[in-house]
Amino acid sequence: MILERPGTGLVLRERPVPAAGAGEVLIAVSACGICRTDLHVLDAEIPDIRYPIVPGHQIVGRILAVGPGVADLSQGQRVGVPWLGATCGRCAFCSSGQENLCDAARFTGCQIDGGYATHCVADARYVFALPEGYGDLEVAPLLCAGLIGYRSLRMCGEAERIGLYGFGAAAHIVTQVALWQGREVFAFTRRGDALAQSFALRQGAIWAGDSDRVPPQPLDAAIIFAAAGELVPAALRAVRKGGTVVCGGIHMSDIPGFPYASLWGERSIRSVANLTRRDALEFLALAPKVPVRAQITAYPLEMANRALADLRGGKLSGAAVLTIS
Ligand SMILES: [Zn+2]
Ligand SMILES: [Zn+2]
């Protein structure tokens, strides 16, 4: 399923199966998770998209062929491919475990053809073995909702009371990890979104309410997964002095002005950019211990436009996943 131009739907096209070059593997895709970022790709809200592009960056499949110079992956192995698809490997960021900030980074389903397809080629450095005990569909949402959610949660430090703004795929996974770590989760949704609020409470949130409300107790930290900039001042009002607001999305609308008093008291705001290899290795090892169980809605590959429309319309609880046969 290919995006040929910005602002259009995806179209089904037949292409030759790509070949794995040096340092790459060819993967037969079995499932690909759908992420809110895919909507930002469709809407051209992310810079430097390459057209035509096959979206999809929560790819699950088996290795069909291993290119020259790949040592630690083998044919037949079940693997996953996340959003960060390639980095230069040499810059100061790449040399210090901050490859998520590499200026030459390329992203799966954005500059590198992704997993809304039967086959894809991936840079072996960003191909990860997947934990046992998960089906292909179930494990797909762990690769972005899980990984970026986990990185966002790490940025909350030792916070015990955590607010999650936007209760979609990432938040429902983060909730499971946070509860397992002994934290409390407060869920904030669009005004009056009873479906999302009851979903959050079923997932174990201690409180759920509209995003402009102040929670019953001050939060130690908040993570914003929704793409709405006005949530930043709202979250600052909900966190205690010294608390952190983490912006976990790749795209966000402009943040409106707010009084300095909202930031005063050593509150901080930070963004989370992409993911590192360390995040992937840590989270994929942690997930089966919790165990993280993503709630999924499956669609066949050919129904990708429908799945994206359902995500956009707020009709999904949990994560959507494409099945590829
Ligand atoms: Zn994503
Ligand atoms: Zn680099």
Side-chain angles (χ1 to χ4, degrees), residues 66-87:
V66 175
V70 177
D72 48 358
L73 294 168
S74 51
Q75 201 178 338
Q77 189 177 358
R78 186 173 81 145
V79 291
V81 184
W83 169 247
L84 184 57
T87 53

Side-chain angles (χ1 to χ4, degrees), residues 87-91 94 102:
T87 53
C88 82
R90 296 179 302 275
C91 71
C94 284
C102 176

Side-chain angles (χ1 to χ4, degrees), residues 62 109 186:
R62 290 194 184 271
F186 297 70

Side-chain angles (χ1 to χ4, degrees), residues 195-272:
L195 183 70
Q197 289 174 13
S198 67
F199 179 55
L201 293 171
R202 282 202 310 281
Q203 293 290 314
I206 194 169
W207 177 91
D210 297 351
S211 58
D212 54 356
R213 284 182 60 190
V214 173
Q217 292 147 296
L219 306 172
D220 300 316
I223 305 173
I224 302 177
F225 289 119
E230 65 267 24
L231 294 175
V232 172
L236 278 172
R237 287 193 297 274
V239 300
R240 62 160 170 79
K241 285 186 280 189
T244 304
V245 173
V246 179
C247 301
I250 283 171
H251 170 79
M252 184 180 258
S253 59
D254 287 351
I255 301 169
F258 55 87
Y260 182 50
S262 299
L263 186 63
W264 177 250
E266 301 196 341
R267 292 175 179 86
S268 57
I269 308 170
R270 67 167 302 160
S271 62
V272 157

Side-chain angles (χ1 to χ4, degrees), residues 34-38 57-58 83 143-145 148 250:
I34 292 183
C35 176
R36 183 156 293 277
T37 301
D38 299 342
H57 57 269
Q58 305 187 85
W83 169 247
L143 288 161
C144 189
I148 297 205
I250 283 171

